[in-house]
Amino acid sequence: GESVGLHLPTLSVQEGDNSIINCAYSNSASDYFIWYKQESGKGPQFIIDIRSNMDKRQGQRVTVLLNKTVKHLSLQIAATQPGDSAVYFCATVPGAQKLVFGQGTRLTINP
Amino acid sequence: GAVVSQHPSWVICKSGTSVKIECRSLDFQATTMFWYRQFPKQSLMLMATSNEGSKATYEQGVEKDKFLINHASLTLSTLTVTSAHPEDSSFYICSARDTRYRADKPQHFGDGTRLSIL
């Protein structure tokens, strides 16, 4: 079955540095990937998505990279700010209706 | 942007009580809504898919008689935790997908309901 996992459960970066959060998936049929940000006590907030016919997509201060060969997804956050502190989840919709979440990475910003 | 409202945001009640949580899509119609449960420091686990006008589809291991779902309109789904016990304490989150879009469009999430059973 589909599984989506993250390489690191926690990530600590200096304010102003770039952050890279990684995610691995197992189902090669997955064709749509989403990154969500979850702040404490809140629901997930959509950040950026990418489809399998792309390998890179950029948003405001965020970039998602997709490597289908090794089934790897990453989220890059440029010039990390205190407000970026949160848990970040990758998720995929493996050919069906349901969203499958990874385990999450907690991003902590050091001043 | 699309907004999903969840109510209440926090509830504390005694063991044996039934608790109803509402999930509303405020500016779009949602044929399909989803209910998740999240334990501390864990990911979201899908409990059930709520379908407007039909029965919900439950994930394996989720008791449908304990977690009653009603999706009576295109903007409202409710989750009732019946005879709640302390082990049901968790963060319950709903999401909704805009009816106009395909499955490969992001779902919009509510801000969750913290349920604490004493």
Side-chain angles (χ1 to χ4, degrees):
Chain A
E2 171 67 288
S3 69
V4 182
L6 294 177
H7 293 307
L8 294 172
T10 60
L11 178 64
S12 186
V13 300
Q14 291 296 123
E15 183 177 349
D17 286 353
N18 297 335
S19 302
I20 300 176
I21 301 170
N22 297 302
C23 178
Y25 63 96
S26 61
N27 190 334
S28 58
S30 297
D31 57 5
Y32 180 53
F33 306 87
I34 312 166
W35 281 101
Y36 285 96
K37 172 186 180 182
Q38 186 180 27
E39 296 176 289
S40 181
K42 295 189 176 181
Q45 175 186 359
F46 171 83
I47 302 173
I48 191 168
D49 58 2
I50 189 168
R51 301 187 192 285
S52 59
N53 61 351
M54 303 172 67
D55 51 24
K56 180 179 181 179
R57 190 164 186 226
Q58 289 184 293
Q60 187 176 10
R61 281 201 308 119
V62 295
T63 300
V64 55
L65 298 178
L66 175 63
N67 185 329
K68 295 179 289 293
T69 302
V70 296
K71 299 188 186 67
H72 184 268
L73 188 71
S74 69
L75 176 70
Q76 300 179 5
I77 304 174
T80 313
Q81 302 169 359
D84 294 328
S85 293
V87 177
Y88 290 83
F89 293 98
C90 65
T92 185
V93 183
Q97 303 283 327
K98 299 183 290 188
L99 202 61
V100 177
F101 279 87
Q103 287 305 304
T105 293
R106 178 173 296 281
L107 178 63
T108 302
I109 313 303
N110 299 318
Chain B
V3 177
V4 173
S5 174
Q6 203 170 325
H7 178 80
S9 57
W10 193 299
V11 59
I12 302 173
C13 59
K14 294 181 179 179
S15 184
T17 307
S18 292
V19 179
K20 180 185 284 188
I21 303 170
E22 293 186 347
C23 180
R24 294 180 185 274
S25 56
L26 297 186
D27 53 358
F28 64 97
Q29 294 185 328
T31 304
T32 304
M33 292 185 176
F34 302 88
W35 288 96
Y36 296 84
R37 181 166 51 185
Q38 184 179 33
F39 291 106
K41 298 184 180 180
Q42 293 188 24
S43 188
L44 283 76
M45 295 300 296
L46 180 66
M47 298 175 66
T49 302
S50 173
N51 304 297
E52 188 269 335
S54 65
K55 292 183 178 180
T57 305
Y58 290 81
E59 295 301 300
Q60 190 172 9
V62 178
E63 300 175 57
K64 62 180 183 189
D65 294 330
K66 179 160 187 70
F67 299 100
L68 300 179
I69 291 173
N70 184 277
H71 193 153
S73 79
L74 287 171
T75 60
L76 173 64
S77 175
T78 61
L79 169 69
T80 301
V81 183
T82 62
S83 186
H85 292 286
E87 59 266 29
D88 298 321
S89 298
S90 188
F91 194 48
Y92 292 86
I93 307 172
C94 73
S95 71
R97 180 183 295 132
D98 192 317
T99 299
R100 296 171 295 174
Y101 299 128
R102 304 174 304 180
D104 59 347
K105 281 285 187 180
Q107 298 171 18
H108 306 286
F109 285 83
D111 269 343
T113 296
R114 176 77 57 194
L115 176 62
S116 296
I117 309 298
L118 304 178

